[in-house]
Amino acid sequence: MQRYSIKHFKVMNRTKSTVLGESEIADTFFSRLRGTMFKKELKRGLILKIPNTRSRSGSAIHMFFVRFPLDIIFADADKKVVDVVSIDPWKTYTPKKPAKYVIEMKKGTIKSSDTEIGDELDFTCENA
C-alpha cells in the first residue's frame, strides 16, 4: 500500500503582508469533488487547484453538504485574486472571472486578512 503525504501550505496575502492561514491542497478530481463536504469543522483551509481547461463556470463552487459558512477566494494562475465571497451552506457561487485556485477558508478570513480583488497571494509549503 502506497502512502501519500498531505502537504500543508501557509496562504499569505503578499500585497497586504497578512497571513490567511494553513491549507491543504485538493488537486485531483475526487479531492476537489469532496472539498469540505461532510466535515464537522474546518481545521485547515483547502486550496482547490482547478484544471487549466476550466472556464469561469468551471471554477464555480457549491456548498451542498457543507455544514458551516466559508470565505472563498478565487485566484488566477499568477495567484492574483479575481473574486472573493463569504457564502453560507446550501448556496452556489460562480466567480466574476475564471480561477485556477479556489481557496476555502473559515468565515472571517477575508476581513481579517483584508484580502481584496487584485491582491497577490503566495502558498508556502510547510512540510515539503
Side-chain angles (χ1 to χ4, degrees), residues 58-90:
S59 3
I61 56 114
H62 70 80
M63 295 287 288
F64 306 138
F65 305 104
V66 178
R67 302 175 183 194
F68 38 81
L70 291 172
D71 278 358
I72 312 292
I73 301 156
F74 299 88
D76 64 15
D78 296 323
K79 299 179 185 152
K80 185 174 180 181
V81 177
V82 296
D83 203 356
V84 295
V85 66
S86 291
I87 190 166
D88 292 321
W90 297 100

Side-chain angles (χ1 to χ4, degrees), residues 34-62:
R34 167 99 194 243
T36 51
M37 289 191 307
F38 307 109
K39 293 186 178 183
K40 292 182 180 180
E41 64 178 322
L42 189 68
K43 294 181 182 179
R44 287 185 188 83
L46 185 65
I47 302 168
L48 305 168
K49 189 175 178 185
I50 307 300
N52 292 330
T53 56
R54 298 276 182 95
S55 64
R56 182 175 76 91
S57 61
S59 3
I61 56 114
H62 70 80

